[in-house]
Amino acid sequence: VQLQASGGGWVQPGGSLRLSCVASGSIFSIDAMGWYRQAPGKERELVARITTGGSTNYGVFLKDRFTIARDNAKNTVYLQMNRLKPEDTAVYYCNADLINIETMLYADCWGKGTQVTVSS
């Protein structure tokens, strides 16, 4: 199973970015998908998660600036990030809770991360 994230990069404060993450490989089903981030010297923290049914939860720091969405048919999760701040600078990791079709076992899968840099 692979999680391939894209959409990171550099943006000025106040700008927007949209991250995408596609899950592929030996997947039977996917439960929750989400995004976490880790800034230098800090612990990894939840950004947002979304279930198959569309229920969401967000990190408390977001204050409605970010929106998570997913396309179940495409095994893809998106993160729309608006009004970005320098403190949003971090590596953003995609995560999926899924069942591997080869083993029929639950797996907690992570992508390699995509860098988001917010600076002027």
Side-chain angles (χ1 to χ4, degrees):
V1 176
Q2 289 187 331
L3 299 180
Q4 182 64 51
S6 61
W10 172 84
V11 65
Q12 292 184 335
S16 298
L17 283 175
R18 187 186 190 220
L19 305 183
S20 300
C21 176
V22 180
S24 62
S26 303
I27 299 171
F28 176 75
S29 65
I30 303 177
D31 186 9
M33 300 184 78
W35 295 93
Y36 292 74
R37 71 184 188 184
Q38 188 168 19
K42 295 186 177 181
E43 294 185 353
R44 190 173 297 188
E45 62 180 353
L46 170 70
V47 177
R49 284 178 67 80
I50 183 169
T51 67
T52 304
S55 297
T56 60
N57 64 297
Y58 291 90
V60 294
F61 56 85
L62 289 182
K63 297 182 180 179
D64 300 326
R65 294 186 296 120
F66 293 5
T67 302
I68 190 169
R70 68 187 280 179
D71 184 331
N72 293 328
K74 296 181 179 179
N75 290 343
T76 300
V77 63
Y78 307 96
L79 184 68
Q80 179 66 43
M81 304 186 291
N82 299 325
R83 304 193 307 277
L84 283 160
K85 303 176 181 180
E87 50 264 43
D88 294 317
T89 295
V91 178
Y92 284 69
Y93 296 91
C94 177
N95 171 261
D97 299 334
L98 55 86
I99 296 177
N100 187 307
I101 198 169
E102 295 181 354
T103 65
M104 295 305 289
L105 294 176
Y106 172 89
D108 182 24
C109 297
W110 292 87
K112 292 183 178 180
T114 184
Q115 176 71 45
V116 172
T117 302
V118 185
S119 71
S120 54

